[in-house]
Amino acid sequence: MYNGGRAGLTFWSPNVNIFRDPRWGRGQETPGEDPAISARYAAAYVRGLQQPYTSGHHHNRLKLAACCKHFTAYDLDSWGGTDRFHFNAVVGAQDLEDTFNVPFRACVAEGRAASVMCSYNQVNGVPTCADAAFLRGTIRGKWRLDGYIVSDCDSVDVFFRDQHYTRTAEDAVAATLRAGLDLDCGPFLALYTESAVAGGKVSNADVDAALVNTVTVQMRLGMFDGDPASGPFGHLGPADVCTRAHQDLALDAARQGVVLLKNQRGKHRDVLPLRPAAHRVVAVVGPHADATVAMIGNYAGKPCRYTTPLQGVAGYVARTVHQAGCTDVACWGKNQPIAAAVDAARQADATVVVAGLDQKVEAEGLDRTSLLLPGRQAELISAVAKAAKGPVILVLMSGGPIDIAFAKNDPRIDGILWAGYPGQAGGQAIADVIFGQHNPGGKLPVTWYPQDYLQKVPMTNMAMRANPARGYPGRTYRFYTGPTIHPFGHGLSYTQFTHSLAHAPAQLTVRLSGDRAATTASLLNATRTRPARAVRVAHARCEGLTVPVHVDVRNVGDRDGAHAVLVYHAAPSSSSAAGVPGADAPARQLVAFEKVHVPAGGVARVEMGIDVCDRLSVADRNGVRRIPVGEHRLMIGELTHSVTLGVEQLGV
């Protein structure tokens, strides 16, 4: 597209903020609520976009420049009278270290992103785009960013005019450039930097440093190398976008993203997948039954073509009957055509109801106020299920979770699929799953909470950990222990998998770094009540310190399928007892995962290495990471394996 004059070489993507609150309108842009998944996604996304290469004697060239956004603790757009332009996120060092900053660190340190974008909000009273500790100290200092830091669009103007962080515009320029910002998305620096320099508030060196960081990335992109057509990617153009391979990839991504939430048992077999021979006439109803634009969510390019759910189902059966049942996704008011959808279900061999949300419900600038389906959608679904002659399959499109307890508990609703916003080929992917062409293997990347969760958790409360004394239940599967509609990681298959542990050590020793004359005791923390201990990650020899875990996955069903092996970790009994005062470690946390395809009756071995310093450490309230000494538990499906971490003894 660059060669066609329709795009640049810098893309401000990916969004790797943690999906902390189920109401967040932009959660659909992110990989979910888990830091480990978000970190791995971030690094892989950046590597895939940038594809660094060597050209002649030039090293560290980039195909494209990626940007990890929005740093940091940015996950509120507009809720309860508070918006992202005025929000001060009060966040403890512990939550920054083990939750909010995890994907950004991976983005820069592992993915080697060319750019990081600071956010609109303040964190602990300081706008992120004017926070020197964040920009110069953490991003460029600790993580060693090789690239530039950019503001979210008009962020500098926002912290001057809306947040009133500085007295003058020139002070705002000085605050952000000295903090480490290199590029302003917006006109603010262009308007006021000259006067800030003239007034002595900004030096030429400040401007030069920002210029070097931005222009260097342009050089790495080859933007000063003459005609792009003569470069290594000069043959690419708009015609390469909609190739068959790329359209097949869109379909594969949509299929892999479908999560099977419910599959009720029939007389002799599970209801799903449906059989075209037995279900020749299928009613396809609901506000998303013939969806096109809604399937691509936000921040999407122009699709090559759409395959709607109605079209996808029509490809498998003799005849489809289509009734929307709602005039739109809002489905509000007396004049909704529910009766027509009910009549269609009454006459069909099977019914597929496609419901959910869209960009009028959740979007940038628009957080949700409810976890329920909009308007009369639930009424439509229940009425159709009550009248249907054959099986009823509910398909949900949404970015965020939905309280669908009524459908989960309704025995007349035989199957439930969540498709997210599945993209241009979404309708085909949904039909492929319903009719068994594809065996679903997706897992939920977020917790699906009940509606009453919202009454206990203001969006403005950034704390991840529960506070029972105040009735605060905590956030995400790592800290929330209340009831769920569907838990994080839930997802069924048309086959069954079992796990067996092929190899994992029972003990591992943490070696200490630094002055070997120091005693072990000086590098350990002990509680007053018991001699449990923990080693600071900074004091451990982390290189090569991994727990190898080899798992055999057996497909004991009669269908080939893909399975995600999820490895969770629990620190010794309690983190405080493990010598990390105030750590409040997660009840469990994902530390490794791999997807593997296993043929029916077959076995596949999955080999993973769990980094002890990164994955088995916990953060204390000061944000210091420590490795608890003692018995750590690894949970893999139905398996639990214990690994005892010891520490080498030094000194006397």
Side-chain angles (χ1 to χ4, degrees):
M1 300 302 285
Y2 174 73
N3 294 337
R6 300 184 185 182
L9 294 177
T10 296
F11 287 85
W12 287 341
S13 184
N15 182 343
V16 296
N17 292 114
I18 297 295
F19 199 167
R20 171 187 64 101
D21 190 289
R23 291 162 285 199
W24 189 32
R26 299 190 74 174
Q28 61 186 286
E29 302 174 28
T30 76
E33 69 182 40
D34 180 74
I37 289 177
S38 300
R40 186 157 151 190
Y41 169 96
Y45 193 120
V46 169
R47 286 192 293 263
L49 201 62
Q50 294 189 160
Q51 295 183 27
Y53 67 98
T54 300
S55 177
H57 63 280
H58 298 288
H59 300 279
N60 205 21
R61 290 300 189 99
L62 300 174
K63 184 177 186 179
L64 300 171
C67 175
C68 301
K69 63 184 187 182
H70 314 77
F71 189 83
T72 184
Y74 171 86
D75 49 19
L76 179 152
D77 272 58
S78 181
W79 177 85
T82 300
D83 63 41
R84 56 184 173 165
F85 306 120
H86 299 85
F87 181 49
N88 175 30
V90 178
V91 189
Q94 185 177 44
D95 284 337
L96 283 173
E97 170 60 31
D98 74 4
T99 300
F100 297 110
N101 286 357
V102 173
F104 290 97
R105 180 172 60 242
C107 224
V108 176
E110 298 173 31
R112 309 306 301 169
S115 177
V116 174
M117 177 183 286
C118 51
S119 54
Y120 290 117
N121 57 291
Q122 296 184 3
V123 173
N124 300 327
V126 181
T128 62
C129 292
D131 193 320
F134 278 164
L135 307 190
R136 289 196 188 279
T138 299
I139 297 174
R140 197 170 294 283
K142 293 180 182 178
W143 301 342
R144 301 187 181 280
L145 173 71
D146 182 11
Y148 66 93
I149 300 173
V150 61
S151 73
D152 203 343
C153 296
D154 296 317
S155 285
V156 183
D157 187 88
V158 163
F159 80 64
F160 171 61
R161 300 187 196 281
D162 295 307
Q163 298 174 7
H164 308 293
Y165 183 70
T166 62
R167 187 177 61 84
T168 68
E170 288 75 17
D171 289 335
V173 171
T176 197
L177 285 180
R178 290 177 180 174
L181 190 78
D182 301 306
L183 181 64
D184 176 25
C185 174
F188 197 90
L189 292 189
L191 291 172
Y192 300 110
T193 301
E194 186 175 0
S195 55
V197 172
K201 296 183 176 182
V202 172
S203 69
N204 286 333
D206 295 325
V207 177
D208 289 346
L211 187 65
V212 166
N213 289 333
T214 53
V215 173
T216 298
V217 172
Q218 292 180 321
M219 290 179 173
R220 293 173 64 195
L221 289 166
M223 294 177 68
F224 301 101
D225 293 351
D227 184 2
S230 63
F233 309 109
H235 62 286
L236 294 173
D240 294 291
V241 175
C242 289
T243 63
R244 172 50 54 192
H246 292 165
Q247 294 193 60
D248 289 346
L249 184 61
L251 175 58
D252 185 41
R255 284 170 170 167
Q256 291 198 44
V258 173
V259 182
L260 178 60
L261 299 176
K262 176 182 179 181
N263 191 9
Q264 196 156 267
R265 186 75 180 174
K267 289 184 179 180
H268 305 292
R269 58 186 289 275
D270 292 342
V271 173
L272 284 172
L274 298 183
R275 292 166 293 167
H279 307 104
R280 295 177 56 79
V281 179
V282 176
V284 186
V285 305
H288 279 321
D290 205 23
T292 54
V293 175
M295 292 196 299
I296 64 175
N298 67 351
Y299 282 94
K302 184 177 179 180
C304 304
R305 62 187 183 93
Y306 290 111
T307 302
T308 73
L310 177 62
Q311 291 170 332
V313 172
Y316 279 95
V317 298
R319 183 166 65 92
T320 56
V321 182
H322 172 230
Q323 292 291 339
C326 296
T327 55
D328 56 16
V329 168
C331 200
W332 184 253
K334 295 182 179 180
N335 298 321
Q336 299 300 319
I338 293 175
V342 169
D343 188 58
R346 189 178 288 120
Q347 300 176 39
D349 299 321
T351 300
V352 177
V353 188
V354 194
L357 315 179
D358 65 5
Q359 300 306 298
K360 292 182 180 179
V361 180
E362 54 178 359
E364 181 173 355
L366 179 63
D367 294 326
R368 296 160 65 191
T369 57
S370 171
L371 298 184
L372 302 177
L373 285 166
R376 299 175 65 186
Q377 283 195 40
E379 179 187 342
L380 164 69
I381 295 164
S382 295
V384 164
K386 183 177 181 180
K389 181 176 68 173
V392 176
I393 310 303
L394 173 61
V395 179
L396 298 167
M397 289 189 194
S398 70
I402 305 171
D403 182 343
I404 53 164
F406 78 96
K408 176 184 175 183
N409 298 325
D410 189 340
R412 296 166 298 192
I413 297 175
D414 299 283
I416 304 177
L417 304 176
W418 179 63
Y421 291 125
Q424 66 175 42
Q428 185 65 55
I430 290 166
D432 287 347
V433 171
I434 289 175
F435 291 97
Q437 179 66 28
H438 177 78
N439 187 356
K443 306 291 185 183
L444 288 181
V446 292
T447 301
W448 284 36
Y449 303 93
Q451 169 72 4
D452 64 5
Y453 176 78
L454 304 188
Q455 310 308 315
K456 305 170 186 175
V457 184
M459 275 196 81
T460 48
N461 189 329
M462 300 295 293
M464 297 300 297
R465 288 156 171 82
N467 187 336
R470 297 186 178 181
Y472 184 71
R475 295 184 178 277
T476 76
Y477 80 95
R478 297 161 64 226
F479 302 106
Y480 172 69
T481 57
T484 63
I485 303 301
H486 289 294
F488 171 89
H490 176 64
L492 306 175
S493 170
Y494 293 154
T495 188
Q496 296 83 41
F497 299 95
T498 62
H499 309 85
S500 59
L501 196 63
H503 171 70
Q507 293 183 321
L508 200 67
T509 298
V510 178
R511 299 181 64 197
L512 303 176
S513 62
D515 184 2
R516 292 188 63 85
T519 65
T520 303
S522 71
L523 298 178
L524 299 176
N525 289 321
T527 64
R528 295 180 179 180
T529 57
R530 57 187 298 182
R533 303 160 299 173
V535 179
R536 279 195 182 211
V537 167
H539 294 157
R541 294 187 182 180
C542 293
E543 186 176 355
L545 186 59
T546 61
V547 178
V549 177
H550 301 173
V551 179
D552 286 337
V553 180
R554 183 179 298 275
N555 184 340
V556 297
D558 57 4
R559 287 177 176 266
D560 297 353
H563 177 63
V565 181
L566 308 179
V567 182
Y568 293 93
H569 164 250
S573 59
S574 85
S575 47
S576 293
V580 190
D584 303 322
R588 64 186 179 109
Q589 176 163 316
L590 193 66
V591 291
F593 58 95
E594 292 292 341
K595 180 179 279 190
V596 60
H597 188 273
V598 189
V603 180
R605 178 162 295 182
V606 178
E607 299 184 0
M608 295 168 280
I610 301 171
D611 187 299
V612 171
C613 291
D614 186 30
R615 299 301 185 199
L616 303 191
S617 63
V618 296
D620 66 19
R621 288 179 184 169
N622 296 317
V624 176
R625 282 202 168 271
R626 305 172 190 268
I627 306 167
V629 175
E631 184 179 326
H632 293 247
R633 288 180 297 131
L634 301 177
M635 295 154 283
I636 311 159
E638 66 277 19
L639 301 177
T640 298
H641 175 72
S642 294
V643 179
T644 300
L645 295 185
V647 60
E648 68 173 349
Q649 300 298 309
L650 299 176
V652 292

